[in-house]
Amino acid sequence: MCGLVGYVGWRDAAEVLLAGLRRLEYRGYDSAGVALADEESEIGLRVLKKAGNIDDGLEKLLKNGSSNGSHLGIGHTRWATHGEPNDRNAHPHTDCPDELALVHNGIIENHQSLRKWLSGLGHEFTSDVDTEVICHLMEHYLQDEGDLSQALARSCEHLEGAYAVAVVQSPLGANEREIVAARKDSLLVVGLGDDENFLASDVPAILPYTRRVMYLENGDFVRLTADDVTVFRSDGRRVDRPVTEVQWDPVQAQRDGYPHFMLKEIEEQPAAWESALRGRLSGGEVDLQGLQFPALEDIEHIYFVACGTSYHAGMAAAPLWERLLQIPASAEIGSEFRYRQPLLGEDTLVVFISQSGETADTLASLDLAIEENCPTICVTNVVGSSMARRADNVIYTQAGPEISVASTKTYTTQLLILFLLACHLGRQLPHGQQHSETCDRLLAAMPSLSDLERQLLNDTTEIGSAAERIADWEDSFFIGRGLDYVSALEGQLKLKEISYIHAEAYPAGELKHGTMALIEEGVPVVAISTQPQLRDKMASNVEEVRARGAWVVAVTDQPEGEVARRSDAVIPVPDSEPELSPLFVGTALQVLAYRAAVLRDCPIDKPRNLAKSVTVE
Ligand code: M6R
């Protein structure tokens, strides 16, 4: 949820940290801070931190204070989980004599008992955050061990929960310029440079400086100096971690002149879909490059487990998988799945969907599935993410980095990959043969989807007009049937998330069982209709809400059809295979939400109260 960065080398550490934190600000932006080792002065460690975003807070502090001369430091951008988002609770945190400073991502679950114990030993706490217990544990063990690495290993023995933690020591007390760090259930990567090394919770933070990265494993500790990186386990045993060359270009993570990342990412969808299919689909044949899927003949149930938008991708995929594989399939919300004690075992295939690959509830569900010996597949956008590493099989969406909090291109590439997998697996099963024509039809349609998407994005006039109408209201409704209901769910989430307009999605036939009471004169209703067998029913549902005064905009692949005719406005989407329609409807509704949010002057890429990666349960 938060972002951390560390630097040791020859550059101005303050500059490197500030630039890195800016690139991580999408992970959390309640406050930001840095700790810089100041070798020239008697201060030792200079800690600068401030509530608010980087521009308004930390950057001003750095301009006012003297940050020059330091070549070692750590930084953090925070999304509050414990304690208010204020200066006091901002990271880095220090022990009392400011001998060491520390930044942390994650949650220490047993922080209260540790706080009590450490207070009893005389440690004084100055913040409300769980992280501070690690500072005092470090202080405690540093006295015994005299060595930062060992003190961190001893401290971590006490911690329950998730953490990526990085520590620096005042140069006045330290033998060497070093950063030590540890990870458990929170991502941490090392960037390797020449006479300099980097540490970060996410690769984009260090991409301007190096592409050579080392992903740390759970339970790893690392010690970085300017010319050395040592990875070790809690017993001190050294371990090697492979060095990966990251392909992402730093400019890919910039806005390219778009006013918002969200718009850039929406418009990147045609290219992202091509990238998702690249090397995987050619001449109607699917090649998943050596992925070893479980024997589907033995599978009795398929679950898709995910949160938020990724859950909607699972909902859209489940009916197609069920039909093509002839195996019951259902989508489950990550934060609910574990607690309802699902029947799991070797005959249950569980597919985890996550843009980040780090969402805590989805990750915990994956751990449960692994414990229960379920075969697992993970669909994610982030190479080397925790889910990617733990699942039996991983298939990457290859959408490129997504910075805006709202999922756009990662949602539609998830859909595409899940539809591709359904066709691929369906064709392999003896009892799936009855649907081989459907598989062939869908696979044949896939290569031209990106061009249809370009056409949709080339002319968004009707979407803009509908957005103007909706932006004036505080409430809205999204209705659809079957797959269109799933698109309605995703459309309302996007609208709420970035424009702050209250929106509710309903299966169109369900409105009259209660919610219809809320339909009043002028209220906007987005009615989605792309499923041929449900068009007549949808037309009646449109009639029902219009009769109560609703203003209806139809989102449909039949702009001359009955649903469109009975509506006040129409947003046309390409006429493709009905099973693939969530791709286009998803895009049209992203644009609708985006346009409404622009009209309402909302902070689109960083909606209030939200973060890109939700690594707390
Ligand atoms: O990284 P994940 O896909 O696991 O994230 C899950 C949700 O937090 C995410 O899909 C969220 O709902 C979207 N950012 C909303 O646009």
Side-chain angles (χ1 to χ4, degrees):
M1 197 71 81
C2 310
L4 72 80
V5 59
Y7 177 74
V8 53
W10 45 269
R11 298 175 201 258
D12 181 340
E15 269 179 40
V16 176
L17 298 179
L18 195 63
L21 291 178
R22 279 192 197 292
R23 288 168 165 268
L24 294 186
E25 217 183 353
Y26 65 93
R27 285 186 60 100
Y29 33 83
D30 290 338
S31 59
V34 294
L36 299 161
D38 201 335
E39 291 124 44
E40 308 290 304
S41 78
E42 288 181 8
I43 297 173
L45 275 181
R46 191 181 298 269
V47 176
L48 302 162
K49 53 185 191 173
K50 191 82 188 146
N53 63 32
I54 292 177
D55 287 348
D56 299 335
L58 180 63
E59 188 177 18
K60 287 190 181 146
L61 278 185
L62 280 166
K63 273 189 188 145
N64 296 339
S66 71
S67 65
N68 292 342
S70 179
H71 305 295
L72 166 68
I74 51 176
H76 191 268
T77 172
R78 176 171 186 251
W79 189 87
T81 56
H82 289 78
E84 278 175 43
N86 56 25
D87 292 355
R88 210 163 51 89
N89 289 335
H91 296 220
H93 290 277
T94 57
D95 65 340
C96 286
D98 286 358
E99 196 183 316
L100 55 88
L102 182 148
V103 290
H104 163 228
N105 287 359
I107 288 186
I108 304 304
E109 286 167 4
N110 59 336
H111 72 104
Q112 275 167 336
S113 57
L114 287 173
R115 186 178 272 253
K116 206 167 158 196
W117 174 60
L118 288 160
S119 300
L121 295 177
H123 293 266
E124 282 175 30
F125 282 78
T126 56
S127 77
D128 311 316
V129 298
D130 52 342
T131 302
E132 199 184 337
V133 297
I134 319 176
C135 298
H136 297 293
L137 282 169
M138 286 292 297
E139 184 188 7
H140 180 76
Y141 284 116
L142 205 51
Q143 283 161 8
D144 286 0
E145 305 287 346
D147 173 274
L148 207 58
S149 303
Q150 285 172 29
L152 183 59
R154 295 280 305 273
S155 300
C156 287
E157 284 170 15
H158 292 269
L159 305 180
E160 290 168 20
Y163 50 84
V165 58
V167 195
V168 287
Q169 198 176 1
S170 160
L172 304 178
N175 300 326
E176 270 210 85
R177 290 199 301 137
E178 63 178 344
I179 302 172
V180 298
R183 78 152 280 189
K184 179 175 169 269
D185 292 334
S186 255
L187 197 65
L188 200 55
V189 294
V190 173
L192 305 169
D194 293 329
D195 298 323
E196 59 179 350
N197 287 304
F198 306 81
L199 184 76
S201 53
D202 292 83
V203 169
I206 53 181
L207 270 188
Y209 309 104
T210 181
R211 286 159 180 259
R212 292 168 56 228
V213 304
M214 201 188 262
Y215 290 96
L216 297 182
E217 296 283 342
N218 258 344
D220 278 354
F221 293 81
V222 66
R223 176 175 177 273
L224 294 91
T225 61
D227 52 13
D228 188 44
V229 171
T230 313
V231 184
F232 57 98
R233 305 292 290 178
S234 57
D235 58 6
R237 185 171 42 93
R238 290 187 176 203
V239 285
D240 288 330
R241 297 292 170 225
V243 177
T244 315
E245 193 81 18
V246 175
Q247 298 303 329
W248 286 357
D249 189 317
V251 291
Q252 269 186 289
Q254 304 289 346
R255 280 207 310 260
D256 279 349
Y258 282 95
H260 301 99
F261 278 112
M262 184 179 177
L263 183 60
K264 172 177 176 282
E265 288 155 6
I266 289 173
E267 300 222 343
E268 281 172 350
Q269 286 178 113
W273 296 2
E274 283 161 5
S275 163
L277 295 181
R278 191 161 297 129
R280 292 170 171 163
L281 178 65
S282 171
E285 293 306 314
V286 179
D287 176 3
L288 291 174
Q289 294 132 24
L291 288 185
Q292 299 294 321
F293 290 109
L296 291 171
E297 293 79 0
D298 303 333
I299 298 296
E300 297 288 337
H301 196 99
I302 301 169
Y303 285 118
F304 295 88
V305 181
C307 299
T309 289
S310 298
Y311 166 66
H312 297 152
M315 281 187 82
L320 190 67
W321 281 56
E322 181 163 307
R323 189 165 121 221
L324 299 187
L325 277 67
Q326 295 285 292
I327 302 172
S330 54
E332 301 270 340
I333 293 176
S335 54
E336 294 289 320
F337 186 60
R338 283 174 300 149
Y339 303 108
R340 71 167 191 75
Q341 300 175 325
L343 279 180
L344 298 174
E346 288 171 7
D347 58 359
T348 319
L349 172 63
V350 196
V351 183
F352 295 89
I353 311 163
S354 173
Q355 184 283 130
S356 59
E358 301 293 340
T359 300
D361 284 310
T362 312
L363 192 57
S365 304
L366 170 58
D367 286 340
L368 173 68
I370 292 170
E371 250 171 56
E372 300 291 335
N373 299 316
C374 302
T376 55
I377 300 176
C378 160
V379 177
T380 182
N381 194 38
V382 179
V383 177
S385 57
S386 301
M387 282 179 224
R389 278 167 310 139
R390 287 186 211 173
D392 298 332
N393 276 289
V394 55
I395 177 154
Y396 293 111
T397 42
Q398 299 180 178
E402 189 177 74
I403 306 296
S404 181
V405 165
S407 304
T408 52
K409 60 178 179 172
T410 57
Y411 170 62
T412 52
T413 49
Q414 285 170 350
L415 291 174
L416 197 53
I417 292 296
L418 290 166
F419 295 156
L420 180 81
L421 273 176
C423 297
H424 174 59
L425 298 175
R427 280 213 295 212
Q428 288 176 357
L429 277 176
H431 56 264
Q433 288 305 317
Q434 52 181 301
H435 292 291
S436 62
E437 261 179 40
T438 309
C439 298
D440 293 347
R441 176 171 55 81
L442 297 182
L443 290 173
M446 286 184 190
S448 48
L449 294 173
S450 54
D451 280 340
L452 293 173
E453 175 81 343
R454 281 189 184 93
Q455 286 168 22
L456 188 165
L457 290 167
N458 268 346
D459 183 3
T460 54
T461 320
E462 285 93 347
I463 306 180
S465 309
E468 278 176 27
R469 180 67 177 62
I470 290 173
D472 282 343
W473 284 75
E474 291 309 318
D475 293 300
S476 62
F477 295 87
F478 286 66
I479 57 173
R481 287 170 168 260
L483 262 190
D484 290 332
Y485 168 54
V486 181
S487 295
L489 281 169
E490 176 54 13
Q492 56 100 38
L493 176 64
K494 217 95 298 177
L495 187 70
K496 281 194 283 217
E497 184 181 15
I498 61 164
S499 75
Y500 310 154
I501 297 171
H502 170 240
E504 284 192 42
Y506 267 86
E510 184 66 13
L511 272 185
K512 53 178 130 355
H513 297 286
T515 309
M516 191 75 91
L518 292 175
I519 301 295
E520 55 182 349
E521 195 62 35
V523 72
V525 174
V526 179
I528 305 161
S529 171
T530 64
Q531 302 301 300
Q533 75 283 17
L534 295 165
R535 288 194 205 287
D536 292 349
K537 300 269 179 233
M538 266 310 287
S540 307
N541 296 137
V542 166
E543 208 57 60
E544 285 164 7
V545 289
R546 279 200 79 208
R548 274 122 191 125
W551 177 85
V552 180
V553 54
V555 180
T556 178
D557 54 355
Q558 303 286 300
E560 310 296 328
E562 202 50 32
V563 172
R565 248 180 17 84
R566 296 188 194 190
S567 301
D568 297 282
V570 182
I571 294 175
V573 293
D575 181 6
S576 177
E577 303 302 325
E579 292 92 336
L580 306 178
S581 73
L583 289 159
F584 299 120
V585 177
T587 306
L589 297 182
Q590 290 163 5
V591 178
L592 183 72
Y594 175 78
R595 294 285 193 87
V598 169
L599 290 167
R600 290 166 69 96
D601 204 17
C602 294
I604 292 177
D605 286 331
K606 294 174 186 169
R608 68 184 176 211
N609 307 335
L610 298 177
K612 182 66 180 163
S613 182
V614 184
T615 52
V616 291
E617 291 175 26

